[in-house]
Amino acid sequence: MSVDHIATAHAMIEHYNAQDADAYVALMTDDACEATYRGAVLREGREGVRSGLKAMFAEFPENRADILASHVLGETVVLHERVSRSAQAEPFEVMSIYTFSDDKVDRVEFIR
């Protein structure tokens, strides 16, 4: 069975924009994490990601990420995103690197 990793990463962004942390982490392995690129882990495990996202959504209720470009190579997807925290805040760009274990994301790294 072939898994469409870009579709999965795009679905995660849709869940992120809907501020649905539960649906977002449902696409991750139990021990997944989010981290800075080649650096510190920001949120560890599915539950750590869920609670971290819920806290961020509470702080930034207008938060949104728009995908500017998508690339896939093997088990890795890279998304170029523009993130807006609120209508008043200056948007910023980020590269998000999604690595997969079968059909689930096991790590997301951010370059900002």
Side-chain angles (χ1 to χ4, degrees):
M1 176 174 80
S2 177
V3 177
D4 186 346
H5 293 315
I6 285 182
T8 299
H10 280 235
M12 290 180 77
I13 296 300
E14 289 172 16
H15 299 317
Y16 178 91
N17 287 338
Q19 297 197 357
D20 187 345
D22 295 324
Y24 181 94
V25 300
L27 298 173
M28 302 179 93
T29 62
D30 289 338
D31 61 347
C33 71
E34 292 185 330
T36 60
Y37 179 66
R38 299 181 65 174
V41 171
L42 304 170
R43 301 177 188 113
E44 191 162 0
R46 188 183 279 177
E47 292 309 313
V49 173
R50 182 191 330 269
S51 64
L53 286 177
K54 286 185 176 192
M56 185 186 62
F57 296 153
E59 183 178 356
F60 301 106
E62 298 175 46
N63 192 71
R64 177 173 181 77
D66 294 306
I67 300 169
L68 304 176
S70 305
H71 305 279
V72 64
L73 181 60
E75 298 292 306
T76 305
V77 170
V78 177
L79 299 182
H80 179 190
E81 305 167 31
R82 178 174 292 120
V83 179
S84 302
R85 296 286 191 216
S86 72
Q88 298 77 27
E90 185 70 29
F92 59 92
E93 292 186 16
V94 63
M95 298 295 284
S96 301
I97 304 164
Y98 296 75
T99 55
F100 285 78
S101 177
D102 296 321
D103 63 339
K104 301 276 187 177
V105 171
D106 68 356
R107 187 173 180 94
V108 183
E109 292 183 284
F110 303 103
I111 301 171
R112 181 173 167 195

